[in-house]
Amino acid sequence: MAQDTAPPRAEEHEPEVAVDTARGGLTGLSRLEIIGGLYLLVGVALAWLGVGLPADAIALQFGVGEIAPSLDLNPAVSVPVLAGLIAASGLVGILDRRLPRLAVPALVAGTVLVVPLVLIATLSQSGVPQTNVITLLGESLRLATPIALGALAGLFCERAGIINIGIEGMMLAGAGIGFVFYGLVGQAAGGWPLYAAVVVAVATGAMMAALHALMTITFRVDQIVSGVAINLLAIGITSFLRRQVIIPEGLGGGVTLPTIDLPGLSSLPVLGQLFTGRPIFLSMFVIFVLVQVTLFRSAWGLRVRSVGENAHASETLGIDVVKTRYQAVIIGGMLAGLGGAWFSLETVGTFDDVMTNGKGFIALAALIFGKWRPWPAFGGAVLFGFSEAFGARLQLLGAEVAGYPIPAQFLQSLPFVVTIIVLAGAIGRAVPPANVGKPYERSR
Amino acid sequence: MVEAAPAARRPVVLEARGITKRFPGVVANDGIDFALREGEIHCLLGENGAGKSTLVNVVFGLYEADEGELLVRGEPARFRSSADAIAAGIGMVHQPFQLIPVLTVWENVVLGAELTRGPLLDRAAARERVAELSERYGLAVDPDARTGDLSVGAQQRVELLKALYREADILILDEPTAVLTPQEVDGFFEVVRSLLDRGISIVFITHKLREVLAVADEITVLRGGRVAGAADPATATQASLAGLMVGREVVFGVDKSPASPGEVVLATEGLTVTDERGVAMVRGLDLEVRAGEILGIAGVEGNGQRELVEALTGIRQPLSGRITISGRDMTRATPRRIADAGVGHVPEDRGKDGLVASYPLDDNLVLNGYHRQPFSRRFVMRRGPIREHAERLIADYDVRTPSAAVPAGTLSGGNQQKLVIARELSRDLDLLVVAQPTRGLDVGSIEFIHRQLVAKRDAGVAVLLVSAELDEILNLADRIGVLYRGRFADVVDRTEATRESLGLLMAGARTTEEVA
Amino acid sequence: MSQAPRQGEQPPEGRGPADERRGAAALLETYHRLAPVTVPLYALLLALLVGAGVMLIAGANPFEAYGALFAGAFGNPERLVRTLVRSTPYVVAGIAVALAYRAGLFNIGVEGQLLIGGLTGVWVGTMSALAGTPAVLYVPLVLLAGALGGALWAGIPGVLKARTGAHEVIVTIMLNAIALRMVDWVVTSREPKILLDPDASTPRTPDIVPAGQLPDLVPGTAIPVGLLLAVAIAAGAWYLVSRSTLGFQIRTVGTNPSAARYAGMSVPRIIIVSMLISGAVAGIGGIIAVNAGDSAHLTPGLLRNVGFDGIAIALIARGNPLAVIPAALLWGSLLSGAPLMQVQADLSIDLVRVVQASVILFVAGDMIVRTLFRIRPERGAGGSPTPAATGWGAQT
Ligand SMILES: Nc1ncnc2c1ncn2[C@@H]1O[C@H](COP(=O)(O)OP(=O)(O)O)[C@@H](O)[C@H]1O
Ligand SMILES: [Mg+2]
């Protein structure tokens, strides 16, 4: 059969128009037009507010020491300029019918610009109008570690078709049980038990994930319900262990994983700081590359994705859907367990109740923010890390608005608001793997 | 039944003996014997639900037979999954296609049998291999295209490539022609014949008699999960095959008197409708349906039929144009308003859109009328009238069910459709929009539903019938509009239409200007 | 029809032993039919066994521990009352989850809606402009404020789901986090002071004025009227879901939104309305929780996990508002009995969390229970009745 006898399917001949540009709903406006209008308004409002900022220069330093470059900015100028750019991106969004290829990148850029804008505006209100951007970036990356690892955990599961809202629980269990092992075997005093404890945390994550897999794949329990149960179970087990074992044994305040300098890289002039860190933090970058390659370049990754998109089609090709899903979910759990170890073994050296503090849920948000792709999800994780790092920095800087300190709670809430906006489809559309959430029953 | 085929012929490559497969409540295959000979086409014929797909799924290792055995080239075979069947040289094109839309063509083809370099995919080799196969078998397709963007015909070529890539020498084709135009079917048969020449043996499944007689070397007819008989293509006729298939004399066609069209009930002007991706699927369509006539909409699926029906019934907002029903503008009306204006809608996908499977029949029968008297008063539902209503309709429309309280999902496909038909046709209607009303149904239900539609027409209702089955259109319609890429290729009177002329129109040949 | 032979006819049976068999079959049929009741009970049993396993590992005697747990919950009238009071917010939270659940929505946000409802209620209840309002007016006003606050917080994910397809699970998780921080700020901030009670030793709001507090059911018994309110909400929710036309629409949208749309129901409207009702109920739950015992103030941690437990309770009740009551009682009694267990059996109270998680796992995984106890799977639609996991991510 030659190509020219192909059936007349309209879509084969029509240029594909994105949903975002389709007029619809009550307003008759497209999604991008609405968002663009919003950005335009917000941008103009911010520019107007920005003009009123004090004109005293603030300093953005890049690194420490003599050679570190420093950028002195006048907030009363730079904030309106940034706000103007945001407004401009909104304008491009509004004109998406004329500039179809530019609208989405422009809006993404507009969103990213919010970060320096907030930074400069806040500094201008602060008693100490200078900050080290590289340190802030390094801190953001460090705080992004569990979020990023959690997002990768979710990525594996969801690419294979299993929703995982139990990442939080898997991390928490990893943190708790890893630390219990460390405490009991090594008295939380460093040495090999510390590294073995990381392995235990990873294994714990794997076991929680195996439970999730058992429930959702074998027993076809609703995947969200199973995730809820995993979270509750992790809270129960870890706080039980804490009161039953950790507190009575007086474990805690122990040695954490040491800081490592990456030879060569860590002595780079400005960026050197970024290559100094603790092992789980540093391994995160390697893991990202590995995940990207595994999922998108390897045969097994192709199978994982196919199973998440269309389990039955995969089955007809002789792929063992159940096995593939188990593998993906368990690998995801291992990453979540590692993310858990970051809390108890790398950062604090003890275990507190619910110490993951919702990071597993934020990881999920980062995953969706990144539309189920590794690098954009990483970007989402860094954004969340930044808002946390910046919130902490804010306390130090003592920035004030209207005579009151800016509440840290507001800054901490910002990423959640951003996630909701992203989720509402503000910028492009998040299309999850087609079979995610659907229980699979082998035909037999 | 007399075994009509000559005795000693080519060797049997695939044999099924006494295959029995039970599903909860259904014996889908009941002791089926079947043999495929090398280099031949063996047609499996049977009406919907006869058990054809079940049988080949057993052969392909997807289902495990409860009884019976398989022999491949004389050797007993036990397939624990399709991986085993593939390893035994069996390939299958499924109904519906089993492709992963977001992956490229080459990814779909190699999936499960990937070419690798170390742990990584060897993309270059895969692309090359796919290009080479498509060249060799004349199955033109771009290896790097996203499979979901391809036309149905191209997707079918990908399915064939998947089997050929795995070097299948036994190929099972499950209703491959159901998605093609008559002209495409001819092209497809050429491909099939060229495969035979390369020594591939083929099981060809269909419920279309014409096709069987055109290609088969051997014919096995299934009915109700059993082998109803075998037939010799040289001597069989459509009538004899139909008799075997259905188990009784079949009347081709529906008795109906000529239409006496009245007022225009439904009219559209320049109607343009987009699908969920924003692609215009109906493009500036003008149509008219009058009281007392059936306008049949023919066309290859995906040429705007679904979007047209959804726009007419208020499910989808049209991009532009006008819809008028009984003189009132209904362009952006809600489904509720359109239904209340006397429009009945039998949706294409009854399981998903027409019914709530877990609801009892009586609730399903008031699914769109629950808010009216006497089914509810103020804000409270009234069980009594709902139950009485259900019992009346179940009797009138011959819905076979133990009671009105069983979940609709437990009924057979035919009875589910009768339930939807009962709900929609029992209302006071001016216009009836029906999409694929008999898809997947048995002949008894098809005949019943056809009679009901004609009766509505005779009662003065305007009927818009969308169907992918040309025979259904030819049997029922008074006028026929052929949709091609969202426009009418032509609108013809039934008396002037032939299968061939419609087939050409479906492929895009335009005969006269649009007059609807 | 031509399919007649496949309809699985009953083979003709003889007399005598067949009757007996029929009797046994009837019994078996009853056994299967009781599944909605027996499956959760078996699930509870299995969960208690898991708990016992943990107790054994921890070196405690399960009988002793469970005995203490039971005594702690029901041992004397005082404890019984405490258990009832403890369970009341769970009843309301469970109903809030259940209502949304029937509309096919997984309202994880009850946690945040309780908080916001509690906050708006306390705000109105401590407003100086309203001082002097008589109790007959003031109590309903506080409840209304709570309901509005909860409804607002639930309306956001409702509208976003209906209009943009954003999955309510993620949106409500985000809103929970925001609610927690907002309440934390409002309740603890000294500069500016918003709702902080400056005289209290720990950060908390002032008490709602006496006229705005929920009165005792029977004066002097310390059983608040909230209990009655919770039962009334359960009954109302049941009537709404199973008898009203709105309930019919909610259930239809929850089981098959596509068919609902084709039948002329407005799916977005039903989604929004269901979330609003669910959030209003949660908001009232927040007020009930605030009115605990003699005090009536909000602390940042007061409602911690009540919403999440509501999810578990709604799951155990399988979305049936009336079944929420016993499920919530189970929850409340586990929690109120735990301290005695801790004292007597030297087991951390967190053990009951393990039991609770196991209850959900076994209830949700009813295939496990059904396999173990040989109850046949549900007929009809098949699979899990939860539509939660559908429509993950953004879609329309
Ligand atoms: N997976 C399944 N579960 C339950 N019943 C099935 C399943 N597959 C097919 N059936 C039933 O088996 C019968 C035969 O179906 P099928 O083999 O698909 O028929 P055909 O392909 O001839 O149209 C039908 O009654 C159908 O409803
Ligand atoms: Mg079939």
Side-chain angles (χ1 to χ4, degrees):
Chain A
M1 213 169 2
Q3 186 83 63
D4 56 357
T5 60
R9 291 271 292 186
E11 74 227 57
E12 212 173 24
H13 313 280
E14 301 288 333
E16 198 171 304
V17 189
V19 186
D20 299 337
T21 46
R23 279 163 189 269
L26 302 168
T27 51
L29 290 171
S30 81
R31 187 182 293 270
L32 284 177
E33 283 168 342
I34 296 173
I35 302 297
L38 204 69
Y39 273 49
L40 183 61
L41 280 179
V42 169
V44 169
L46 286 176
W48 181 71
L49 286 174
V51 175
L53 288 174
D56 309 327
I58 57 123
L60 298 180
Q61 294 147 337
F62 297 86
V64 283
E66 292 296 295
I67 53 141
S70 172
L71 189 62
D72 293 332
L73 290 171
N74 177 351
V77 176
S78 51
V79 167
V81 166
L82 287 170
L85 288 174
I86 292 172
S89 78
L91 204 63
V92 177
I94 292 176
L95 295 177
D96 81 295
R97 242 168 272 257
R98 304 261 176 77
L99 310 162
R101 305 219 176 278
L102 289 179
V104 170
L107 287 174
V108 171
T111 314
V112 173
L113 286 179
V114 174
V115 172
L117 186 140
V118 171
L119 184 63
I120 297 169
T122 327
L123 280 177
S124 76
Q125 301 294 316
S126 150
V128 198
Q130 61 177 39
T131 199
N132 184 340
V133 177
I134 298 295
T135 312
L136 190 60
L137 184 62
E139 190 68 356
S140 304
L141 285 170
R142 191 182 69 77
L143 289 171
T145 309
I147 303 171
L149 289 172
L152 287 184
L155 184 74
F156 265 104
C157 294
E158 302 209 352
R159 279 286 183 168
I162 305 291
I163 297 175
N164 188 354
I165 67 166
I167 300 170
E168 172 81 3
M170 296 176 191
M171 292 214 283
L172 185 63
I177 294 178
F179 185 77
V180 167
F181 174 88
Y182 178 40
L184 290 183
V185 175
Q187 276 69 49
W192 68 266
L194 182 51
Y195 294 92
V198 174
V199 175
V200 169
V202 170
T204 305
M207 273 166 62
M208 295 296 277
L211 179 63
H212 186 55
L214 181 75
M215 297 297 292
T216 56
I217 303 170
T218 304
F219 289 113
R220 297 195 289 282
V221 172
D222 186 284
Q223 297 169 4
I224 290 183
V225 172
S226 171
V228 169
I230 294 278
N231 289 334
L232 214 72
L233 189 65
I235 294 177
I237 291 176
T238 53
S239 35
F240 179 72
L241 281 176
R242 191 170 97 92
R243 258 172 282 284
Q244 211 75 21
V245 180
I246 298 177
I247 295 178
E249 304 272 332
L251 303 171
V255 180
T256 56
L257 290 168
T259 303
I260 298 171
D261 293 338
L262 286 188
L265 291 173
S266 55
S267 49
L268 282 178
V270 170
L271 295 173
Q273 287 184 45
L274 294 181
F275 297 97
T276 300
R278 297 171 193 265
I280 296 177
F281 164 68
L282 291 174
S283 69
M284 165 180 72
F285 298 98
V286 181
I287 288 172
F288 255 92
V289 175
L290 278 179
V291 167
Q292 173 82 32
V293 170
T294 310
L295 267 182
F296 296 95
R297 292 280 183 275
S298 78
W300 181 76
L302 181 64
R303 292 178 182 202
V304 169
R305 287 182 290 137
S306 74
V307 156
E309 288 289 342
N310 186 342
H312 187 255
S314 312
E315 184 192 349
T316 64
L317 292 172
I319 293 172
D320 190 336
V321 176
V322 168
K323 191 174 108 193
T324 310
R325 286 194 165 169
Y326 262 92
Q327 289 169 339
V329 171
I330 289 174
I331 290 181
M334 293 168 75
L335 294 176
L338 185 65
W342 179 88
F343 292 94
S344 58
L345 301 173
E346 176 159 301
T347 305
V348 189
T350 183
F351 179 79
D352 299 321
D353 276 350
V354 199
M355 81 184 301
T356 45
N357 197 21
K359 291 291 187 301
F361 291 120
I362 298 175
L364 202 63
L367 174 66
I368 294 174
F369 182 94
K371 299 181 189 174
W372 290 269
R373 289 170 303 176
W375 290 111
F378 182 67
V382 175
L383 182 68
F384 286 113
F386 171 80
S387 79
E388 209 184 326
F390 189 58
R393 175 72 52 106
L394 210 63
Q395 315 294 31
L396 293 176
L397 294 172
E400 293 189 340
V401 163
Y404 294 117
I406 301 175
Q409 289 98 335
F410 278 31
L411 276 154
Q412 286 165 1
S413 297
L414 212 57
F416 302 117
V417 177
V418 171
T419 306
I420 291 177
I421 294 174
V422 169
L423 205 68
I427 303 162
R429 211 114 229 261
V431 183
N435 262 10
V436 84
K438 293 195 186 124
Y440 162 78
E441 189 162 7
R442 218 194 138 187
S443 8
R444 281 266 82 184
Chain B
M1 241 16 88
V2 192
E3 176 60 52
R9 280 202 332 211
R10 304 187 201 179
V12 170
V13 287
L14 173 71
E15 188 174 359
R17 286 191 192 150
I19 298 290
T20 296
K21 175 69 188 172
R22 297 181 199 95
F23 290 116
V26 182
V27 184
N29 283 176
D30 189 357
I32 292 185
D33 297 322
F34 172 83
L36 171 68
R37 289 169 190 281
E38 186 165 61
E40 292 196 345
I41 296 191
H42 192 144
C43 273
L44 261 182
L45 183 67
E47 63 167 324
N48 285 309
K52 308 179 295 291
S53 296
T54 303
L55 177 64
V56 290
N57 279 332
V58 166
V59 170
F60 196 59
L62 282 171
Y63 292 160
E64 195 168 28
D66 297 311
E67 285 160 37
E69 54 175 348
L70 286 175
L71 292 96
V72 178
R73 288 176 215 86
E75 300 287 321
R78 276 199 68 83
F79 297 151
R80 258 165 294 116
S81 78
S82 2
D84 295 345
I86 291 168
I90 302 179
M92 180 160 162
V93 174
H94 301 263
Q95 173 212 27
F97 296 154
Q98 296 298 331
L99 295 167
I100 294 162
V102 298
L103 299 184
T104 62
V105 167
W106 72 261
E107 285 173 323
N108 266 293
V109 171
V110 303
L111 180 61
E114 297 85 357
L115 298 173
T116 51
R117 242 184 357 215
L120 299 187
L121 285 170
D122 191 342
R123 300 168 162 211
R127 275 196 199 98
E128 203 174 300
R129 180 101 180 86
V130 172
E132 181 211 326
L133 281 171
S134 90
E135 175 89 1
R136 172 155 22 124
Y137 291 96
L139 299 167
V141 58
D142 171 9
D144 287 309
R146 198 174 151 277
T147 315
D149 294 339
L150 296 177
S151 69
V152 179
Q155 293 190 355
Q156 190 168 61
R157 295 196 282 277
V158 178
E159 284 283 23
L160 283 170
L161 285 173
K162 278 163 65 176
L164 296 170
Y165 169 81
R166 288 166 176 74
E167 299 181 336
D169 49 17
I170 298 169
L171 193 56
I172 300 167
L173 306 171
D174 193 356
E175 307 228 14
T177 55
V179 292
L180 305 178
T181 63
Q183 277 76 13
E184 282 180 308
V185 169
D186 294 340
F188 181 75
F189 285 160
E190 271 167 43
V191 173
V192 167
R193 287 204 192 87
S194 79
L195 292 175
L196 287 176
D197 293 342
R198 290 168 191 270
I200 294 175
S201 324
I202 292 173
V203 180
F204 181 89
I205 297 181
T206 184
H207 63 262
K208 296 182 180 169
L209 305 169
R210 210 177 354 266
E211 295 175 353
V212 175
L213 293 173
V215 294
D217 292 314
E218 245 182 281
I219 302 172
T220 298
V221 182
L222 298 188
R223 181 189 343 130
R226 301 205 176 102
V227 175
D232 179 359
T235 57
T237 63
Q238 292 207 18
S240 71
L241 289 177
L244 268 182
M245 214 165 108
V246 182
R248 64 183 159 83
E249 200 87 0
V250 184
V251 208
F252 290 100
V254 184
D255 284 334
K256 69 181 174 63
S257 51
S260 45
E263 296 284 290
V264 172
V265 176
L266 168 71
T268 70
E269 285 162 48
L271 186 69
T272 298
V273 191
T274 55
D275 66 5
E276 38 292 316
R277 298 161 308 158
V279 179
M281 297 300 285
V282 176
R283 302 188 297 161
L285 192 72
D286 299 329
L287 70 75
E288 269 183 19
V289 191
R290 293 172 177 273
E293 72 162 356
I294 299 180
L295 175 67
I297 304 278
V300 175
E301 277 185 76
N303 275 281
Q305 293 93 326
R306 192 166 58 88
E307 290 75 15
L308 173 63
V309 167
E310 289 180 355
L312 294 179
T313 50
I315 305 293
R316 189 180 286 274
Q317 296 258 309
L319 190 68
S320 60
R322 247 172 87 88
I323 299 170
T324 319
I325 297 171
S326 305
R328 276 180 291 171
D329 181 26
M330 289 285 176
T331 312
R332 291 189 196 280
T334 59
R336 169 71 41 94
R337 205 178 134 224
I338 291 175
D340 287 350
V343 179
H345 177 25
V346 179
E348 175 177 334
D349 188 342
R350 63 183 156 266
K352 178 164 152 277
D353 302 327
L355 294 169
V356 179
S358 58
Y359 274 9
L361 305 194
D362 52 3
D363 278 349
N364 269 301
L365 285 168
V366 296
L367 209 55
N368 55 8
Y370 65 92
H371 57 297
R372 284 195 214 103
Q373 292 269 18
F375 306 129
S376 62
R377 197 185 289 138
R378 287 172 199 277
F379 303 106
V380 181
M381 309 275 290
R382 298 170 70 207
R383 299 285 353 148
I386 292 175
R387 179 54 63 89
E388 280 161 29
H389 172 74
E391 254 135 35
R392 205 177 59 244
L393 291 190
I394 287 170
D396 287 358
Y397 286 84
D398 189 31
V399 182
R400 310 273 170 87
T401 173
S403 85
V406 300
T410 60
L411 298 190
S412 73
N415 283 307
Q416 289 187 9
Q417 184 71 331
K418 284 187 201 167
L419 197 67
V420 177
I421 297 264
R423 183 181 70 218
E424 298 301 320
L425 270 58
S426 63
R427 304 193 350 242
D428 195 12
L429 295 183
D430 292 332
L431 171 66
L432 178 61
V433 179
V434 277
Q436 322 291 358
T438 58
R439 171 172 289 169
L441 302 190
D442 57 289
V443 170
S445 303
I446 294 177
E447 285 172 344
F448 178 87
I449 289 167
H450 282 178
R451 279 198 305 274
Q452 294 292 331
L453 295 179
V454 171
K456 273 287 157 188
R457 178 201 76 158
D458 293 342
V461 173
V463 180
L464 183 86
L465 166 71
V466 174
S467 176
E469 293 282 348
L470 260 190
D471 292 321
E472 183 161 69
I473 299 272
L474 287 166
N475 277 340
L476 293 178
D478 301 309
R479 287 189 305 135
I480 301 169
V482 181
L483 269 184
Y484 174 70
R485 293 204 217 160
R487 294 202 183 102
F488 279 135
D490 202 353
V491 181
V492 295
D493 208 84
R494 166 63 186 97
T495 49
E496 293 155 19
T498 62
R499 292 188 63 81
E500 291 65 36
S501 68
L502 292 180
L504 284 172
L505 289 171
M506 285 164 71
R510 184 175 293 248
T511 51
T512 56
E513 269 315 295
E514 285 154 78
V515 269
Chain C
M1 261 180 301
S2 57
Q3 294 162 313
R6 289 190 295 121
Q7 297 296 333
E9 303 146 46
Q10 288 289 116
E13 285 184 47
R15 296 241 154 239
D19 287 341
E20 218 167 88
R21 237 181 297 152
R22 217 166 282 147
L27 237 144
L28 202 65
E29 185 60 29
T30 320
Y31 180 70
H32 288 313
R33 263 167 211 265
L34 282 175
V37 180
T38 49
V39 169
L41 287 180
Y42 284 135
L44 177 62
L45 187 70
L46 288 175
L48 290 176
L49 284 177
V50 169
V54 178
M55 289 169 182
L56 284 175
I57 294 171
N61 178 344
F63 291 103
E64 214 175 283
Y66 279 132
L69 189 68
F70 189 82
F74 306 109
N76 59 39
E78 201 181 305
R79 287 177 187 159
L80 185 65
V81 167
R82 204 180 54 213
T83 301
L84 287 178
V85 172
R86 187 91 204 238
S87 307
T88 315
Y90 293 119
V91 175
V92 185
I95 288 166
V97 178
L99 279 172
Y101 181 83
R102 296 306 286 268
L105 299 160
F106 203 55
N107 185 3
I108 286 196
V110 167
E111 182 88 7
Q113 292 143 23
L114 283 160
L115 266 177
I116 298 291
L119 184 69
T120 48
V122 167
W123 178 57
V124 168
T126 56
M127 230 178 232
S128 50
L130 290 172
T133 313
V136 271
L137 272 181
Y138 211 166
V139 172
L141 203 60
V142 170
L143 288 172
L144 183 70
L148 284 178
L152 171 81
W153 213 243
I156 299 171
V159 169
L160 288 179
K161 168 96 174 185
R163 296 278 167 237
T164 73
H167 200 283
E168 73 280 4
V169 166
I170 298 288
V171 176
T172 52
I173 285 174
M174 298 299 122
L175 285 173
N176 283 345
I178 296 172
L180 199 67
R181 284 166 181 77
M182 267 184 55
V183 169
D184 187 56
W185 178 61
V186 169
V187 173
T188 60
S189 168
R190 289 183 187 277
E191 246 186 303
K193 185 180 84 63
I194 306 160
L195 268 184
L196 179 78
D197 181 357
D199 306 327
S201 53
T202 53
R204 66 173 183 84
T205 66
D207 278 312
I208 295 178
V209 299
Q213 292 185 17
L214 293 183
D216 285 348
L217 191 57
V218 184
T221 54
I223 306 178
V225 80
L227 189 64
L228 189 69
L229 199 61
V231 174
I233 289 174
W238 174 82
Y239 191 81
L240 174 79
V241 169
S242 46
R243 290 284 180 270
S244 73
T245 52
L246 177 61
F248 186 65
Q249 298 179 68
I250 289 178
R251 284 185 287 131
T252 309
V253 168
T255 29
N256 186 342
S258 176
R261 199 159 65 105
Y262 275 72
M265 302 174 188
S266 166
V267 177
R269 205 189 110 234
I270 294 298
I271 286 176
I272 294 172
V273 167
S274 308
M275 280 306 276
L276 288 176
I277 300 178
S278 169
V281 169
I284 293 176
I287 309 280
I288 292 178
V290 162
N291 281 276
D294 306 329
S295 62
H297 55 253
L298 187 61
T299 62
L302 176 71
L303 290 153
R304 180 142 236 173
N305 273 331
V306 176
F308 283 118
D309 288 340
I311 295 167
I313 289 161
L315 288 176
I316 296 171
R318 308 174 121 244
N320 179 341
L322 291 182
V324 162
I325 297 177
L329 269 174
L330 166 68
W331 226 250
S333 51
L334 280 173
L335 291 175
S336 83
L340 192 68
M341 174 190 78
Q342 180 166 27
V343 175
Q344 293 196 349
D346 192 25
L347 279 166
S348 149
I349 52 168
D350 298 293
L351 183 83
V352 304
R353 286 273 161 210
V354 178
V355 175
Q356 288 173 339
S358 317
V359 175
I360 313 186
L361 277 178
F362 289 123
V363 170
D366 70 351
M367 241 175 87
I368 308 170
V369 175
R370 284 170 193 268
T371 315
L372 280 175
F373 294 94
R374 297 178 197 290
I375 304 172
R376 70 162 177 242
E378 246 167 326
R379 298 264 300 274
S384 149
T386 332
T390 52
W392 190 235
Q395 39 71 260
T396 310

